[in-house]
Amino acid sequence: MIVAADSFFDSSTWSVLRNLVLFLVLVFWAATAYWVYKDARRRVEDPWLVGMATLLGAVPPFLGPLIYMLFRPPEYLDDVRERELEMAAIEEQLAERDLRCPVCRGAVDPSYLVCPVCTTRLKQACEECGSPLEPIWQVCPYCATPVPPGVVTGEEVLQPVRLRRTRRAD
């Protein structure tokens, strides 16, 4: 008895093997389309663009995910948000930087005339109301008293204040 060469392809083994390979290809195709969907959701805010990316990832089988990978956004939305929060925190730190004594770096309030840590004079006081004055002001904004030229000078500001010690008569 002579067996035909094409009898393997007519056998049930070939049929099962072919169906298994087709099933695995179909599962892999669905998995790549699902991966594109999940990845697009993490990278794109617009639901319409997520749907278009998923369609692109599914329609040309196995080629769609490669095309998607060429044109997808470079970073995740969470990374973008985290970077924006970090930038806001850095900007806040830089804004707080002005609220430090330039000599000892101690925390000071904008209303302080003198640094409480190193006694460096930070600002001059208004002669009328005692409020702190900025060097460029020509009038006190608190009591409308004109500031004479030369009252607030660079030599006087940022100099340690000599503390007066009072003796107690015992």
Side-chain angles (χ1 to χ4, degrees):
M1 233 169 140
I2 298 176
V3 178
D6 63 336
S7 65
F8 172 73
F9 294 109
D10 293 330
S11 69
S12 62
T13 305
W14 170 249
S15 178
V16 168
L17 187 62
R18 182 193 63 205
N19 290 342
L20 182 63
V21 167
L22 286 175
F23 175 73
L24 290 175
V25 166
L26 185 65
V27 166
F28 185 68
W29 178 47
T32 57
Y34 182 70
W35 174 82
V36 168
Y37 168 73
K38 295 290 282 185
D39 190 69
R41 275 190 31 204
R42 292 174 59 188
R43 294 176 187 267
V44 181
E45 286 187 39
D46 188 10
W48 187 82
L49 287 176
V50 171
M52 297 291 13
T54 305
L55 186 64
L56 174 69
V59 172
F62 308 113
L63 184 61
L66 296 175
I67 295 170
Y68 166 75
M69 287 175 58
L70 291 174
F71 295 105
R72 70 183 180 176
E75 55 190 351
Y76 295 123
L77 293 173
D78 291 340
D79 294 340
V80 171
R81 289 184 191 110
E82 183 179 343
R83 186 181 68 242
E84 289 172 355
L85 285 173
E86 287 176 359
M87 291 297 292
I90 290 170
E91 287 173 358
E92 188 175 318
Q93 282 180 343
L94 289 174
E96 288 178 3
R97 198 173 185 182
D98 295 336
L99 302 175
R100 302 243 175 232
C101 173
V103 175
C104 70
R105 306 299 301 155
V108 294
D109 191 79
S111 64
Y112 287 178
L113 297 174
V114 177
C115 174
V117 177
C118 68
T119 69
T120 299
R121 182 177 301 278
L122 301 171
K123 296 179 183 177
Q124 290 292 338
C126 174
E127 293 175 358
E128 190 69 28
C129 67
S131 298
L133 298 174
E134 293 293 330
I136 63 170
W137 289 350
Q138 296 178 16
V139 66
C140 176
Y142 305 105
C143 66
T145 303
V147 177
V151 168
V152 181
T153 63
E155 297 96 34
E156 295 167 350
V157 178
L158 299 181
Q159 296 297 321
V161 175
R162 291 192 173 88
L163 298 176
R164 292 183 221 137
R165 299 192 187 255
T166 57
R167 291 188 178 176
R168 292 174 47 188
D170 290 320

